[in-house]
Amino acid sequence: MRIVSPRAPGAAPAGGGRVVAAARERPVRVLVAVATAAVLLTALVWDPEWRSLRVVLTVLAILVAPTVWDSQNRVIRPAVAVMAALILLALIGPLFTRDPLMLNVGESLATPGGDLWFGTDQHGRDIFARVIHGARLDLGVGFSAAALAVIVGMPLGALAVFRGGLFDSVLLRISESFQAFPTLLLALGIVAAVGPSIPILIFIIAIVNVPVYLRLTRSAVAPIVNADFVLAARCAGQRELTILFRHILPNVKQVVLAQFSVNVAWAIQILAALSFVGLGVPVPTPEWGAMVREGYEQLVYGRWWVSVFPGVAILAAVLTLNQLSDRVRHGT
Amino acid sequence: MNASVTPGRPVVEVRELVKDYVTRDARLRQHTARAVDGVSFEIAAGETFAIVGESGSGKTTVGRVLLKLTSATGGTVLFGGEEILEVPERRFRPERRHMQMVFQDPLAAFDPQTTIRSSLREFTRLSGIETRAEQNEAIAEAVRSVGLEPEIADRRPSQVSGGQLQRLSIARSLLPEPELLFLDEPTSSLDVSIRGQIVNLLLDLQERNDLAYLLVAHDLRVVYAMAQRVAVMYLGQFVEVGARDQVYANARHPYTRGLLEAAELDEPPRRGDPVRLVGEISEEAAAKPGCRLTLRCPFAVQRCEEPQPLRETAAGHFVRCWRAVEQPVEIGLPPNE
Amino acid sequence: MSAAARTAPPVLPTEPEAAGSGSVPVLDVVDLTVGFGSAAKRRSIPLQGIHLQVAAGERMALVGESGSGKSLTAAAVLGLLPDGAEVIRGSVRLDGEELVGASERRLRDLRGRRMAIMFQNPRASLNPVLTVGGQIAEVIRVHGEASRKESWSQAVDLLAEMGIPNAARRSKDYVHQYSGGMAQRAALAMALSCRPDLLIADEPTTGLDATLQQQVLELVVERVDSRDASLLLITHDIAVARSHCERTTVMYAGRVMESGPTASVTGDPRNPYTDALLKAFGTVEARRMYAIGGVVPTLTGELGECAFADRCPRAAPECRDGVPELRSLDDRRVACVKA
């Protein structure tokens, strides 16, 4: 059929196709970026002194960051850009700062300015260095805890729908009892039993987040478990687990991904809260929540910088992650 | 029902099939809804057996139970002479190649996250084709057999038209070389101008491959074009079964007559007075022991409240209405043959 | 469409019958063209010069397949075009008042009082958290002077008139407690509650079963007639048009293909597309069904030829010389050079 088009012939269908492809591609790109960052950060958390790998990681981070750019390379979306910057800072920032643990009593509680951009704390430690190192720890713990929760919660939630009946009920009751239990109390119990350490913190935060993914996946999977394309896969003689991983989970990943970044933010808040009450990372490890607590007594003397800078860091990370979640959910 | 005329050996025989759905209300009380209530039929190779009825009649459930996509409550299904309802899923999986399904909405029948080719590839494994090259060859051949170019398989389901996607869905169902195809409203989501293309394609494929079709539809034109035998289903029961012309030209059950009247078919000419049904299908009527149409039927009398068996009025023509058998003239029908 | 035709407004053949009555049509759509995207970046032009007249008290069927633009035409008339769509040219007049470019406020007022819509899904026009009777009473109260009590009893009467048994009791129910057929009856009561001059029914029975379809359509026709209102019945089923409407307009690919009295359009179609559509619905044959080859085109730009030419059994070279104008032929209008 002949159509008189104001544009070059064939331009419209080709353009349409590209838009469709880009829309489908974008969540995947974000997923790749987030997952890679999570892996890298986890590695660093386990061994912060992994010097030999720093150069490699820096290069990797630079490679990963562009994948979260807008697919047509037009706009750098603010939330994505800020998050990428935070991750980059966490990865390579520590290479350029002073030692965050170095005590210098002579320079204690110095006001921000000069070489000391954020000032120093009561022990004379460089707050800028501590905030940057803290980014690595907080983001690392946040991402790894959320990732662990997804890895466990998502298949369990899908399986709950698939199996139904008793399996579903038991799983739901267990997850409810976890959610009903106050996070801090649970953490207190576990930390009291085995002592505070970063893997234990990741484990605690992940455990309280598993029910979130379980329920989310369950409600996302329920409407599609009897979808025609799932029936078709059964007609093809596919096994239950194959159908689950090949057809069902890929169709709910966007919903779950949207929750992921909210969850990282939440994990950071939990970690900060735990550190604030003294159950978090052991001193003198730089961690945002712990730093806010340390500086809190100084506030009354007008020495705001000790706790405000780590506080702003928490705020920035949490807000950015929430923004990111909104973007993923609306597919923009 | 054994008296019905079926050419050739039956591919599938269904006897007294029953399917209950159990639900719980807010107070956790159990409610049992009988979606299929004692349905029997058989389909021969090369034959189309159609089930017509309004939504809520249970017609799609019959097909799904037959394909073991949902469990049965009672009855038997013999496929190629062997009982299949008792076979555990694990052992039945490879046998699925013998019976396939074409869905109402082709867009819902394809996974939106994968290409059409990868959906089709899953089905090639059923017939034991393992290498990628051989799979692609089988896919190309299947796509050509439904009148499309093989390259179209590399697109996503959302990138092809509804008619093309339904052709691809048919191609997919034929990949494992089944003997029985369950066609669940294969044309009702398509445009009128495309409907005929799909019906003709299905008819050609049936002739070429000697396929048995179970057609579930509410479009009486499509059923007329495709079926040799027709069953009319209402609230879980067959109310009339017979050869296509018996049901279309000489409908006996008031429900069949009402359906034909509503469809406004010009052809074939019908015998008997037109019947107008009032009201709409209501599941509460399924709990009654007698005829389930009494509230909507212009001929309902006291005796209709008694249980109604399916009775033969002519060779191979069964009706679940005592008045149609005993008092045809009183309800505006010509006398029985 | 040629450049000359685009600059000068097309000379319109007058509708023979509408002109004969001498009155202004209730709905008068002239050369309505609707596109998606901005003028600089037009993504598609799904309506390309629609002409449609509905006289007072007349029942007009608008028949077409999906993609023909029939529902978009209704949306344009109601001033409810989806985001990104705009009227490129043409006019829509309701009782002589121009609606293209009218303020949103004016349109809202007209939608309530002068024209009403019934959707395919009755639950789309009824609020699920209000009782059925309550929301109909509210419409009556807003548009009239009736008191709370009067409006309620009018709502109950209206529901009873639409054939809802025990209307007094059922009016206190919510729409999810209604069956499909009952919900469509309630939607009709809602649409007629403000006494519109024009009821637009967009596939009102497509989701319903055949035996119910007939009941609901007959009710719509009867109730609209008893109010001397006009009906624009949008349907994909030309058989529905044949049994319920006096006049029929057949659309294909954003154009009107044929328009005129239903008896002549369906009895003696002059446009090959109308003929094909009738055959697809009509003839019942064993082992074969009438099929129109090809697919419905996607309208990415303005048409340069007859949209049906690729699928038409009577296509000739002259069919590709431009878009056929909608011209008068005996008692109807046809857009086909071969007619």
Side-chain angles (χ1 to χ4, degrees), chain C residues 64-86:
Chain C
E65 300 178 75
S66 57
S68 64
K70 56 190 193 303
S71 290
L72 197 63
T73 304
V77 168
L78 289 158
L80 293 173
L81 282 177
D83 282 346
E86 60 172 6

Side-chain angles (χ1 to χ4, degrees), chain C residues 21 177 210 244:
Chain C
S21 67
Q177 290 165 297
H244 298 284

Side-chain angles (χ1 to χ4, degrees), chain A residues 25-36 64 67-69 80 257 261 324 327-328 332:
Chain A
E25 221 174 302
R26 202 171 299 128
V28 179
R29 292 156 72 98
V30 176
L31 182 72
V32 168
V34 169
T36 317
V64 165
T67 66
V68 294
W69 272 201
V80 177
L257 201 66
S261 41
L324 213 57
R327 292 208 168 280
V328 175
T332 52

Side-chain angles (χ1 to χ4, degrees), chain B residues 54-55 191-194 196-197 199-200 203-204 206 221 224-226 228 244 262 264 276-280 296, chain C residues 65-66 179 181-182 209-212 215 218 243 280-281 284-294 311:
Chain B
E54 295 173 281
S55 41
D191 264 317
V192 198
S193 67
I194 307 296
Q197 297 176 14
V199 166
N200 294 342
L203 287 169
D204 290 344
Q206 180 173 43
R221 293 180 181 87
Y224 191 87
M226 291 188 69
Q228 280 87 35
R244 184 198 60 204
E264 299 180 39
R276 290 283 320 255
L277 295 174
V278 293
E280 55 193 300
R296 305 180 61 189
Chain C
E65 300 178 75
S66 57
S179 65
M182 287 299 154
D209 285 313
T211 56
L212 210 55
Q215 296 173 33
E218 274 169 20
S243 32
F281 266 109
V284 190
E285 228 181 305
R287 307 301 292 171
R288 190 95 333 220
M289 238 180 142
Y290 180 81
I292 312 171
R311 307 175 73 188

Side-chain angles (χ1 to χ4, degrees), chain B residues 124-142:
Chain B
T124 59
R125 296 207 186 91
L126 256 190
S127 42
I129 308 174
E130 291 295 342
T131 72
R132 238 179 147 72
E134 280 172 351
Q135 286 174 351
N136 282 338
E137 207 170 295
I139 290 169
E141 195 188 325

Side-chain angles (χ1 to χ4, degrees), chain C residues 37-258:
Chain C
S38 60
K41 208 175 172 189
R42 196 64 75 196
R43 291 203 307 276
S44 64
I45 308 179
L47 292 185
Q48 309 200 352
I50 299 296
H51 298 285
L52 179 72
Q53 278 78 34
V54 184
E58 183 181 77
R59 297 190 302 269
M60 168 69 89
L62 192 57
V63 180
E65 300 178 75
S66 57
S68 64
K70 56 190 193 303
S71 290
L72 197 63
T73 304
V77 168
L78 289 158
L80 293 173
L81 282 177
D83 282 346
E86 60 172 6
V87 175
I88 298 174
R89 62 168 180 271
S91 93
V92 175
R93 286 200 187 85
L94 185 72
D95 293 322
E97 183 181 344
E98 179 61 56
L99 300 189
V100 173
S103 70
E104 180 49 40
R105 194 187 159 140
R106 179 70 188 142
L107 283 170
R108 208 181 309 131
D109 188 43
L110 288 173
R111 277 200 295 270
R113 288 190 299 110
R114 306 272 290 284
M115 49 185 178
I117 176 124
M118 236 179 123
F119 295 102
Q120 178 176 342
N121 177 7
R123 289 174 170 91
S125 44
L126 293 163
N127 187 334
V129 298
L130 298 175
T131 62
V132 171
Q135 49 193 308
I136 295 173
E138 193 185 316
V139 173
I140 295 171
R141 211 159 51 240
V142 169
H143 291 287
E145 266 85 65
S147 71
R148 193 164 284 271
K149 208 169 163 186
E150 279 162 11
S151 65
W152 182 270
S153 82
Q154 281 177 29
V156 171
D157 290 347
L158 204 53
L159 285 170
E161 186 194 334
M162 300 309 150
I164 290 179
N166 297 321
R169 189 171 53 80
R170 299 295 323 250
S171 60
K172 294 185 188 110
D173 284 347
Y174 297 89
V175 67
H176 67 88
Q177 290 165 297
Y178 278 44
S179 65
M182 287 299 154
Q184 199 54 288
R185 284 166 196 271
L188 177 62
M190 182 85 178
L192 294 180
S193 61
C194 54
R195 302 198 137 265
D197 301 330
L198 173 70
L199 175 68
I200 299 177
D202 190 356
E203 302 266 11
T205 59
T206 302
L208 302 177
D209 285 313
T211 56
L212 210 55
Q213 262 185 34
Q214 214 178 19
Q215 296 173 33
V216 171
L217 278 171
E218 274 169 20
L219 182 76
V220 170
V221 165
E222 208 179 280
R223 294 299 102 202
V224 166
D225 272 2
S226 74
R227 283 166 170 75
D228 288 324
S230 304
L231 174 69
L232 181 63
L233 177 67
I234 297 170
T235 177
H236 67 278
D237 188 342
I238 200 164
V240 164
R242 189 164 48 193
S243 32
H244 298 284
C245 293
E246 295 142 354
R247 300 179 71 81
T248 296
T249 297
V250 178
M251 281 181 72
Y252 181 75
R255 301 275 302 179
V256 171
M257 301 303 267
E258 185 161 6

